[in-house]
């Protein structure tokens, strides 16, 4: 564990880029071999806006990375944060708890908040308005959302007290998981169910991408499923019944246009089509 910890403490940018590109490539190929849904689409055309947003996400995260580094150094020097206030523990447990709690603040809490505050939902809507969810959807985040997500991760570093090694480890694992859970791959329902007791499985997350409430407001987790299960936001449904997109913005042509997606957060919120049913 010490070797792994030391590696992530100084992980080169090239290695982080390799994780991103390697993950997309691997799951892109896997989607062709074992697709969950047989989409009738031009994959590269569909991927263009998603890859554009992936690029902007990378650009924003790299531009603000010095804040993570400074914050992680500060909490370590000042012995500040949850995992630093606990009794002394083995390094492996220290790392697991650090990643676990960062997953709550940087992913679950950020995601939950975006669904509950209307202006933030309109920004996050760009991610949900993909009608053909695949591995390229993973980082389909409007630039404003990338800043919001970064802010929550930064908050997590302060509250949890994670050194930079754990921060880099968390971000790397998080990246792989989001590519995995969005990938259009079909695995055994029994295996998926088993996985969902511990981690966010592909089927578990795809329920979150169903176009109607209450399923859209469920399964917020990214790495660990424990947060959804503990906080009552875990839901199940037959994966064959999942319909991607958002009922309030159903125009697939506009939802595939980069120009329209950049404007989407400013178009004004709309009431869910099945509001009577869920109330």
């Amino acid at each position: 564990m010490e070797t792994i910890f030391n590696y992530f403490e100084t992980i080169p940018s090239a290695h982080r880029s390799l994780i991103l590109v390697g993950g997309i490539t691997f799951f892109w190929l896997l989607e062709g071999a074992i697709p969950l849904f047989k989409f009738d689409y031009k994959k590269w055309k569909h991927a263009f806006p998603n890859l554009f947003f992936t690029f902007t996400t990378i650009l924003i995260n790299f531009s603000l990375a010095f804040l993570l580094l400074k914050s992680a150094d500060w909490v370590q020097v000042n012995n500040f944060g949850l995992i630093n206030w606990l009794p002394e523990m083995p390094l492996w447990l220290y790392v697991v708890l650090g990643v676990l709690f960062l997953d709550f603040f940087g992913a679950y809490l950020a995601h939950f908040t975006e669904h509950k505050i209307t202006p933030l939902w309109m920004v996050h809507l760009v991610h949900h308005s993909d009608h053909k969810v695949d591995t390229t959807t993973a980082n389909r985040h409007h630039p404003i959302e990338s800043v919001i997500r970064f802010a929550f991760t930064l908050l997590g570093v302060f509250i949890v007290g994670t050194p930079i090694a754990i921060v880099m480890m968390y971000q790397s694992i998080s990246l792989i998981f989001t590519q995995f859970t969005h990938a259009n791959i079909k695995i055994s329902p029994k295996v998926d169910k088993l996985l969902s007791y511990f981690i966010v499985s592909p089927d578990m997350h795809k329920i979150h991408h169903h176009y109607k409430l209450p399923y859209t407001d469920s399964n917020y987790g990214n790495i660990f499923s424990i947060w959804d299960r503990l906080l009552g936001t875990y839901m199940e449904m037959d994966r064959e019944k999942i319909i991607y997109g958002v009922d309030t913005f159903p125009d697939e042509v506009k939802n595939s246009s980069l120009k329209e997606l950049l404007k989407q957060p400013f178009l004004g919120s709309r009431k869910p089509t099945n509001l009577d049913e869920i109330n």
Side-chain angles (χ1 to χ4, degrees), residues 61-119:
N61 284 339
F62 271 93
S63 299
L64 300 176
F66 73 97
L67 292 175
L68 280 182
L69 181 59
K70 293 291 185 183
S71 302
D73 287 346
W74 185 88
V75 297
Q76 190 171 22
V77 169
N78 292 278
N79 201 39
F80 187 86
L82 296 175
I83 60 173
N84 297 315
W85 297 333
L86 293 172
E88 191 173 344
M89 65 188 81
L91 179 60
W92 70 266
L93 182 57
Y94 182 73
V95 170
V96 169
L97 289 179
V99 173
L100 178 68
F101 288 127
L102 269 186
D103 186 47
F104 173 76
F105 289 102
Y108 181 91
L109 184 61
H111 202 173
F112 179 86
T113 304
E114 287 176 330
H115 276 252
K116 300 305 178 183
I117 298 177
T118 301

Side-chain angles (χ1 to χ4, degrees), residues 104-168:
F104 173 76
F105 289 102
Y108 181 91
L109 184 61
H111 202 173
F112 179 86
T113 304
E114 287 176 330
H115 276 252
K116 300 305 178 183
I117 298 177
T118 301
L120 298 187
W121 164 244
M122 290 306 300
V123 173
H124 182 53
L125 181 68
V126 171
H127 180 69
H128 275 266
S129 59
D130 195 340
H131 296 253
K132 304 287 193 299
V133 173
D134 64 17
T135 196
T136 68
T137 310
N139 290 295
R140 176 180 158 128
H141 298 301
H142 193 279
I144 297 173
E145 179 172 11
S146 297
V147 175
I148 293 168
R149 291 288 184 118
F150 182 89
F152 272 92
T153 301
L154 195 63
L155 174 68
V157 171
F158 273 109
I159 295 176
V160 183
T162 47
I164 196 63
I166 295 180
V167 176
M168 292 295 103

Side-chain angles (χ1 to χ4, degrees), residues 26-36 38 43 184-186:
F26 174 75
F27 290 115
W28 180 292
L29 295 173
L30 201 59
E31 287 174 337
I34 49 169
L36 175 60
K38 294 183 179 179
K43 198 162 185 173
N184 181 40
I185 55 175
K186 186 174 186 178

Side-chain angles (χ1 to χ4, degrees), residues 35-37 186 189 203 210 237-243:
L36 175 60
F37 297 114
K186 186 174 186 178
D203 285 1
H210 185 60
M237 75 176 292
D238 184 350
R239 67 185 182 187
E240 301 298 332
K241 295 180 180 179
I242 295 173
I243 300 174

Side-chain angles (χ1 to χ4, degrees), residues 166-182:
I166 295 180
V167 176
M168 292 295 103
M169 195 180 301
Y170 159 71
Q171 289 193 323
S172 299
I173 296 171
S174 179
L175 177 60
I176 294 169
F177 262 80
T178 195
Q179 292 172 344
F180 170 56
T181 57
H182 287 88

